[in-house]
Amino acid sequence: MSLPRTLGELRQSPFSEQRLSTRRVKDEMRDNLIAKLRQGGPIFPGIVGYDDTVVPQIVNAILSRHNFILLGLRGQAKSRILRALTSLLDAQAPYVAGCEIHDNPYAPICRRCQEEIAKVGDATPIAYLTPEQRYVEKLATPDVTIADLIGDIDPIKAARGGHELGSEYTVHYGLLPRANHGIFAINELPDLAGKIQVGLFNIMQEGDVQIKGYPIRLPLDVVLVFSANPEDYTARGKIITPLKDRIGSEIRTHYPATVEEGVTITAQESWTQRNGHKLHLPKYVQEVIERIAFAAREDKKIDKRSGVSQRLPISAMENVISNAERRAIHQEEKLVVPRIADVYAAMPAITGKLELEYEGELKGGDVVARELIRMAVGKVFTHYFDGENLSNVVQWFELGGTLKLDETVPSDLMVKQLSGIQGLLEKTKRLGLGASEPDAVRAAAGEFILEGLYAHKRISRNEETGFTAGERRREPEEAKKAKRQYQ
Ligand SMILES: [Zn+2]
């Protein structure tokens, strides 16, 4: 279907004056949302874990034609949700061709378009916007100015066109007018200076604003959406009251409620399908990575107000796979299978995402991160091996066995090493392993069991000797040696 190219053609098309002249963006989103709701299926595909909490509230806000704000800690998919709102816009939106603020052809607000339509009438050329072109996003910072957000008087434009300063012809439009006929998103709203908030409010409420002392009238048609950290938002004086009043709905986001949801989000967001080697990603490794974030969110040593972003497990996952990839390349193995050792090797993707409290600072980021990994391994291990008798394996160490697993050894060699511990590899059945799994898969599973026993303090592990008997059972001489290492 070819789209109408002039105002005259537009009038005769489904984009009729009757339908579009008074239809605001909020009506458009509402209409399209209602159609989606009738159709069934997900409203925002790819947004996981919000089906019963955040999504219904957003739906209500849009049905209510509200401007709204998402309140949540970092890494709770706030920006992603805001961007997904474009899926509720029409596939094609006609506007007056050449208009900087994308005027509605039936209700232009800028002088240029009003005059052009008066002059050429139905011959006025029409252009179209895609939903993505109708989304404007700005991260609020204290140095954002009225000029950035709303616009500036351009004296050169005035001189060239022979216009008076303050006429709409002399305005160089800022981001908000450029979002006219669309969605304008401001992230971290409380970081916007008070007087900018006033300007924002005026333009939304009254459709006018002062730029450099000149009153400018801009009755924009924009859906305003915001995001903020809840503490910043509720802190007294951070948001001017009239602006707060105009935000129809406040919607709280949250971290994934279950490990399963976290695993799904991380799998969706992390870069795992790479060129080259085939990847086998064990479920228990995914769960361990996710549990690190869960443990961190509970940990007293980590700042609760800033939260622990979902980007922690996402980046950790990418680093874990890379470490396994590096090993596969080095050993010329075809299959990449991440192990728990690779999780420990992913510390650079973890420590930077933890805002430590004083107690955590004292311990140091590395120590805190290691504790979190160990705790995560312990939890996942319990999930798979609760009630399983592993005393044979523990006994092997108690009888003096030690095993040092080097993260770079080839998988077949590691399987050989692990086979030396009687009964160990048979227990990998609990992790879903069959009889003829590739060595890399078996090696990773065997290592996980040892790491699990270590996490539960049934055996020990140190840099020098690798896995050994637990401290309680160890010979006095060895125990003394081990103690020395920690001093
Ligand atoms: Zn215009």
Side-chain angles (χ1 to χ4, degrees):
M1 189 193 94
S2 71
L3 295 161
R5 288 294 160 196
T6 64
L7 183 54
E9 287 172 30
L10 196 72
R11 288 186 201 284
Q12 305 306 319
S13 76
F15 301 103
S16 66
E17 179 159 10
Q18 194 197 4
R19 185 167 154 253
L20 294 190
S21 63
T22 57
R23 188 183 188 233
R24 320 244 324 150
V25 183
K26 283 175 182 162
D27 300 311
E28 175 187 340
M29 288 177 72
R30 186 186 138 84
D31 290 350
N32 290 330
L33 175 61
I34 289 171
K36 257 191 168 179
L37 288 170
R38 289 209 176 112
Q39 216 172 58
I43 303 294
F44 304 114
I47 305 285
V48 177
Y50 282 170
D51 289 351
D52 301 324
T53 52
V54 178
V55 171
Q57 295 185 5
I58 293 174
V59 166
N60 292 348
I62 295 167
L63 291 177
S64 310
R65 302 194 301 185
H66 281 172
N67 296 317
F68 65 88
I69 185 163
L70 297 179
L71 295 180
L73 301 178
R74 57 165 121 167
Q76 293 185 344
K78 298 191 294 295
S79 316
R80 197 190 165 112
I81 293 171
L82 297 183
R83 281 179 208 135
L85 294 173
T86 55
S87 66
L88 299 174
L89 295 174
D90 291 346
Q92 301 283 352
Y95 72 103
V96 181
C99 177
E100 284 181 273
I101 59 172
H102 308 135
D103 260 326
N104 179 340
Y106 300 118
I109 58 170
C110 87
R111 277 258 292 278
R112 187 203 81 105
C113 295
Q114 286 165 355
E115 284 174 9
E116 182 170 3
I117 291 169
K119 211 164 80 189
V120 301
D122 280 357
T124 306
I126 300 296
Y128 295 84
L129 293 168
T130 62
E132 290 69 34
Q133 288 168 324
R134 299 171 66 195
Y135 180 80
V136 177
E137 187 179 65
K138 176 74 186 154
L139 174 66
T141 52
D143 59 352
V144 170
T145 62
I146 285 278
D148 297 331
L149 208 60
I150 293 157
D152 205 358
I153 304 273
D154 185 346
I156 296 169
K157 228 173 163 179
R160 279 210 193 117
H163 305 294
E164 274 178 43
L165 281 177
S167 106
E168 291 132 89
Y169 279 110
T170 65
V171 178
H172 174 79
Y173 292 114
L175 285 168
L176 180 61
R178 284 172 196 279
N180 186 37
H181 210 167
I183 300 169
F184 188 52
I186 301 182
N187 289 316
E188 306 305 336
L189 180 65
D191 288 345
L192 215 54
K195 65 174 181 187
I196 313 299
Q197 292 182 28
V198 173
L200 191 65
F201 164 72
N202 282 341
I203 207 139
M204 294 318 300
Q205 183 68 22
E206 325 288 346
D208 57 32
V209 68
Q210 299 251 329
I211 301 178
K212 291 190 175 156
Y214 293 98
I216 304 282
R217 192 158 163 69
L218 283 173
L220 300 173
D221 174 18
V222 183
V223 177
L224 274 183
V225 290
F226 309 97
S227 75
N229 180 300
E231 279 207 19
D232 294 346
Y233 186 72
T234 48
R236 223 184 147 67
K238 282 276 210 162
I239 306 283
I240 61 159
T241 313
L243 182 60
K244 225 176 199 173
D245 270 354
R246 259 198 81 90
I247 300 175
S249 298
E250 276 177 30
I251 298 164
R252 294 260 174 173
T253 58
H254 53 82
Y255 288 121
T258 64
V259 172
E260 204 55 40
E261 281 172 359
V263 165
T264 307
I265 297 171
T266 299
Q268 176 182 292
E269 301 298 317
S270 57
W271 183 52
T272 58
Q273 297 306 312
R274 306 177 178 188
N275 58 350
H277 298 65
K278 198 172 163 236
L279 171 70
H280 173 101
L281 183 57
K283 186 85 195 297
Y284 57 86
V285 171
Q286 288 182 292
E287 289 164 350
V288 165
I289 291 171
E290 214 54 49
R291 285 265 182 207
I292 296 169
F294 274 72
R297 287 170 194 145
E298 301 273 293
D299 199 307
K300 282 200 192 78
K301 296 186 285 301
I302 292 156
D303 182 11
K304 289 255 178 316
R305 282 152 305 174
S306 49
V308 177
S309 168
Q310 193 61 24
R311 283 182 278 271
L312 184 149
I314 293 167
S315 316
M317 175 64 78
E318 288 168 348
N319 236 343
V320 165
I321 293 172
S322 297
N323 202 56
E325 200 177 17
R326 194 167 57 88
R327 175 174 57 244
I329 294 166
H330 188 69
Q331 299 300 339
E332 297 179 22
E333 291 182 9
K334 286 202 182 72
L335 191 61
V336 173
V337 185
R339 304 173 188 162
I340 299 305
D342 301 325
V343 180
Y344 281 98
M347 297 274 280
I350 298 173
T351 48
K353 295 183 184 58
L354 303 173
E355 293 281 345
L356 299 177
E357 294 278 14
Y358 181 67
E359 197 197 337
E361 294 283 4
L362 287 182
K363 282 196 157 187
D366 268 32
V367 175
V368 173
R370 275 175 193 285
E371 284 175 2
L372 291 172
I373 297 171
R374 185 171 172 174
M375 216 183 298
V377 171
K379 285 251 168 99
V380 177
F381 182 75
T382 303
H383 173 73
Y384 285 99
F385 289 95
D386 200 23
E388 182 77 17
N389 186 354
L390 288 157
S391 51
N392 271 1
V393 178
V394 176
Q395 211 173 31
W396 185 86
F397 289 101
E398 282 168 358
L399 292 172
T402 63
L403 179 60
K404 188 162 163 52
L405 297 175
D406 186 334
E407 61 153 306
T408 59
V409 299
S411 302
D412 55 348
L413 180 61
M414 188 156 150
V415 168
K416 224 173 254 169
Q417 290 176 310
L418 293 166
S419 310
I421 304 173
Q422 211 187 0
L424 173 65
L425 287 176
E426 281 147 43
K427 300 290 181 190
T428 61
K429 265 187 236 150
R430 280 252 174 169
L431 296 166
L433 269 66
S436 55
E437 300 286 348
D439 283 342
V441 175
R442 300 174 73 204
E447 187 223 36
F448 172 67
I449 296 176
L450 296 182
E451 285 289 345
L453 291 171
Y454 162 65
H456 284 254
K457 300 187 177 163
R458 293 182 66 189
I459 60 175
S460 293
R461 169 160 70 67
N462 62 58
E463 291 286 311
E464 201 182 322
T465 48
F467 293 102
T468 63
E471 293 205 17
R472 279 173 299 141
R473 311 287 186 96
R474 213 176 300 157
E475 295 301 311
E477 195 47 42
E478 271 184 76
K480 261 186 244 156
K481 207 167 111 194
K483 255 187 189 160
R484 247 177 279 135
Q485 287 178 343
Y486 291 108
Q487 279 162 2

